[in-house]
């Protein structure tokens, strides 16, 4: 049965937050990710792909929690399962799990466990071998304190593993061994451990030369009391034998311990080798799939140049991609409208920052247009409906919200000045 996997990592600095943001949203090169499958990645919360550190800081301020200079503002939670949990297509790639019951269960688990407002980002990655979630959680306690120690400690982490496995039971997954010391290792560490083990075993199992034990003959004085002399000699021989036996037992114990560790390393090597073989098999199938796709692309390109009608399946595929990208664009615009918007220029600045998109305005009509850089999908702002609301209406609502916030802040500042003592 496949295992449910849950890992956590603290985000301690703004630099770490920026690095994780760039990695999870593929804003920099990711060697183990397939660029062609990047459109299958999906962000459920932070659709504008904003910086994690900024999101966490905003949530902390919203909660009114105190922040120390060394406070952990965010914790990245990884949720996935062992590779065999995910069914593969004929080409070896995983199916699209976006919108699946498994994806919905993961999102529900995060929100129930940590509080919906404290989950500031939740990304499904499907451009790697195994689908997985990266979520960023602000460690706020039930009484509103910022405390990673209270939310994430050995006791709560064990409970987290158990609860997550329980939530994944409907999908045929189970919990790993509790209190297990198994670690996530890379192949070179396993090989290094084995080489060190071989060297130590060779030394410990090297035959030791036998130590000759001898008894000196009794002296004239010893002849007076032979029983005493015999007891002394036996005691000396027994002491030497005991010393040699203790040394042999110690060497045997060390050898057994190293052999056990080496066996564990060999098991891990076999597991990693199987995973590597799976990756290589998937890679081979993926290369074949790409070559087939490139052949179809070339034919479609030639037909387009010659002015001929493209095949129906090509047009259908293009429409499907554009429709999917429009949904994504609307979510990004909806997130951008949450920023302070006082005039059209403010929205323009937000749209220019959207990762994976370029924004331009037609010089004659002044109509704005978003272009998805990876697929070339273009959308006029007027055709977008962020949150299911026509663009003009969504913009007016954003301006109104910003005006209300400005007014509330102004009132708060006025009350603060009014309550100030002249003696302060």
């Amino acid at each position: 049965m496949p295992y449910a996997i849950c890992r956590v990592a603290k985000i301690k600095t703004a630099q770490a937050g920026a690095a994780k943001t760039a990695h999870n949203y593929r804003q920099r090169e990711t060697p183990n990710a397939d660029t062609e499958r990047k459109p299958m990645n999906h962000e459920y919360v932070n659709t504008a792909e904003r910086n994690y550190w900024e999101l966490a800081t905003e949530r902390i301020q919203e909660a009114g929690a105190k922040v120390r200079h060394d406070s952990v503002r965010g914790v990245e939670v990884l949720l996935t399962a062992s590779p065999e949990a995910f069914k593969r297509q004929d080409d070896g790639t995983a199916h699209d799990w976006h919108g699946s019951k498994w994806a919905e269960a993961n999102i529900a688990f995060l929100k129930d466990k940590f509080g919906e407002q404290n989950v500031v980002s939740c990304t499904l990655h499907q451009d790697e071998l195994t689908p997985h979630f990266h979520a960023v959680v602000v460690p706020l306690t039930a009484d509103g304190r910022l405390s990673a120690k209270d939310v994430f400690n050995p006791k709560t982490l064990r409970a987290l593993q158990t609860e997550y496995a329980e939530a994944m039971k409907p999908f045929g997954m189970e919990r790993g061994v509790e209190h297990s010391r198994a670690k996530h290792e890379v192949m070179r560490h396993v090989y290094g451990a084995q080489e060190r083990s071989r060297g130590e075993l060779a030394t410990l199992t090297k035959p030791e030369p036998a130590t000759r034990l001898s008894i000196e003959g009794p002296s004239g004085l010893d002849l007076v009391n032979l029983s005493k002399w015999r007891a002394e000699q036996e005691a000396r021989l027994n002491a030497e034998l005991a010393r040699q036996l203790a040394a042999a037992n110690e060497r045997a114990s060390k050898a057994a311990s190293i052999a056990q560790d080496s066996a564990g390393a060999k098991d891990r090597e076999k597991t990693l080798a199987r995973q590597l073989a799976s990756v290589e098999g998937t890679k081979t199938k993926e290369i074949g799939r790409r070559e087939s796709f490139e052949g179809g692309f070339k034919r479609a390109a030639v037909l387009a140049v010659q002015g001929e009608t493209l095949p129906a399946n090509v047009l259908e595929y293009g429409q499907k991609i554009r429709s999917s990208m429009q949904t994504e664009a609307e979510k990004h615009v909806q997130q951008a409208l949450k920023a302070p918007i006082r005039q059209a220029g403010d929205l323009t600045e937000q749209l220019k920052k959207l990762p994976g998109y370029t924004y331009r305005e037609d010089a004659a009509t002044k109509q704005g247009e978003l272009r998805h850089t990876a697929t070339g999908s273009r959308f006029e702002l007027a055709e977008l409906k962020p949150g299911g609301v026509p663009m003009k209406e969504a913009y007016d609502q954003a301006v109104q919200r910003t005006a209300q916030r400005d007014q509330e802040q102004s009132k708060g500042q006025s009350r603060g000045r009014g309550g100030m003592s002249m003696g302060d």
Side-chain angles (χ1 to χ4, degrees):
M1 183 179 288
Y3 292 112
I5 297 172
C6 175
R7 300 193 189 106
V8 300
K10 295 177 180 177
I11 302 176
K12 299 180 179 180
T13 64
Q15 291 80 4
K20 287 186 179 294
T21 303
H23 172 77
N24 288 344
Y25 293 130
R26 307 309 193 220
Q27 296 168 0
R28 63 185 184 189
E29 184 179 358
T30 308
N32 61 322
D34 182 350
T35 55
E36 289 187 10
R37 289 176 62 88
K38 180 185 174 184
M40 295 179 66
N41 293 346
H42 189 81
E43 170 60 47
Y44 292 84
V45 179
N46 179 30
T47 54
E49 301 182 1
R50 295 179 56 202
N51 181 286
Y52 291 157
W53 191 260
E54 294 176 0
L55 290 172
T57 300
E58 288 178 7
R59 173 59 188 139
I60 294 165
Q61 292 173 345
E62 182 183 89
K66 294 182 179 179
V67 182
R68 300 189 310 271
H69 73 282
D70 59 346
S71 292
V72 174
R73 301 192 186 188
V75 175
E76 184 179 41
V77 180
L78 182 142
L79 301 177
T80 185
S82 44
E84 64 272 20
F86 301 96
K87 294 181 179 179
R88 304 282 165 178
Q89 302 180 97
D90 292 339
D91 62 359
T93 59
H95 289 279
D96 186 357
W97 290 83
H98 166 53
S100 67
K101 295 294 184 182
W102 173 78
E104 292 174 359
N106 275 273
I107 297 167
F109 173 79
L110 287 165
K111 292 180 178 179
D112 291 343
K113 179 66 179 177
F114 302 108
E116 183 171 356
Q117 290 181 308
N118 296 330
V119 181
V120 297
S121 175
C122 183
T123 311
L124 171 62
H125 277 170
Q126 300 196 99
D127 58 354
E128 297 178 54
L129 182 63
T130 303
H132 57 276
F133 278 91
H134 287 277
V136 175
V137 174
V138 180
L140 288 166
T141 62
D143 56 357
R145 293 178 296 105
L146 180 66
S147 176
K149 288 183 179 179
D150 286 356
V151 180
F152 296 96
N153 56 56
K155 181 179 179 180
T156 62
L157 287 174
R158 284 194 296 272
L160 176 64
Q161 297 282 354
T162 301
E163 292 166 8
Y164 180 59
E166 190 67 27
M168 293 296 107
K169 266 189 177 180
F171 308 99
M173 302 174 194
E174 65 179 353
R175 192 196 195 286
V177 179
E178 192 166 358
H179 301 295
S180 170
R181 296 188 178 184
K183 296 181 179 179
H184 180 66
E185 296 180 275
V186 294
M187 189 74 84
R188 64 176 179 273
H189 291 165
V190 174
Y191 287 152
Q194 286 188 272
E195 288 302 321
R196 289 192 298 273
S197 297
R198 291 191 188 102
E200 293 179 48
L201 278 174
T203 300
L204 290 170
T205 57
K206 182 179 180 181
E208 283 286 325
T211 302
R212 181 186 175 114
L213 301 178
S214 60
I215 299 176
E216 299 177 0
S219 65
L221 293 175
D222 292 328
L223 292 174
V224 178
N225 191 346
L226 284 175
S227 59
K228 178 182 178 183
W229 172 81
R230 186 185 303 109
E232 289 175 348
Q233 294 301 314
E234 288 179 352
R236 183 173 67 82
L237 289 174
N238 287 334
E240 178 59 22
L241 287 171
R243 185 192 69 77
Q244 291 189 27
L245 181 61
N249 285 338
E250 183 179 0
R251 291 166 60 81
S253 176
K254 286 183 179 180
S257 177
I258 291 173
Q260 185 176 7
D261 289 343
S262 180
K266 287 180 179 178
D267 288 340
R268 293 194 295 275
E269 177 189 352
K270 291 178 181 177
T271 299
L272 289 171
R274 285 196 300 269
Q275 292 176 351
L276 180 60
S278 176
V279 171
E280 289 299 325
T282 300
K283 180 180 177 182
T284 301
K285 292 178 180 178
E286 185 66 12
I287 290 173
R289 187 181 71 86
R290 289 185 187 180
E291 289 176 349
S292 175
F293 179 81
E294 287 173 2
F297 175 78
K298 288 177 182 178
R299 288 192 295 274
V302 171
L303 290 175
V305 169
Q306 296 174 169
E308 299 180 45
T309 303
L310 293 175
N313 62 334
V314 174
L315 295 173
E316 182 182 352
Y317 179 66
Q319 182 58 44
K320 182 179 179 180
I321 292 178
R322 189 180 188 279
S323 178
S324 175
M325 290 303 101
Q326 180 169 347
T327 301
E328 290 294 319
E330 288 171 343
K331 290 180 179 179
H332 284 300
V333 173
Q334 183 182 9
Q335 188 69 22
L337 287 168
K338 292 181 180 181
I341 305 295
R342 299 179 180 84
Q343 55 187 359
D346 294 334
L347 177 58
T348 298
E349 290 303 313
Q350 291 297 321
L351 296 178
K352 288 180 178 179
K353 296 177 183 178
L354 291 181
Y357 290 84
T358 55
Y359 175 80
R360 72 179 188 86
E361 290 183 357
D362 186 277
T365 64
K366 300 298 182 182
Q367 290 292 325
E369 178 186 87
L370 274 178
R371 177 191 287 266
H372 186 247
T373 53
T375 65
S377 303
R378 294 181 299 173
F379 308 100
E380 291 186 1
L381 292 186
E383 70 175 300
L384 298 178
K385 292 184 178 181
V389 178
M391 188 65 203
K392 179 66 169 60
E393 184 178 341
Y395 168 76
D396 291 340
Q397 291 175 358
V399 172
Q400 291 175 7
R401 285 196 302 269
T402 302
Q404 290 175 355
R405 286 199 295 264
D406 289 345
Q407 188 176 8
E408 290 172 358
Q409 290 178 359
S410 179
K411 288 181 180 178
Q413 292 173 357
S414 296
R415 285 195 296 269
R417 287 193 296 270
M420 185 180 295
S421 170
M422 295 299 293
D424 289 346

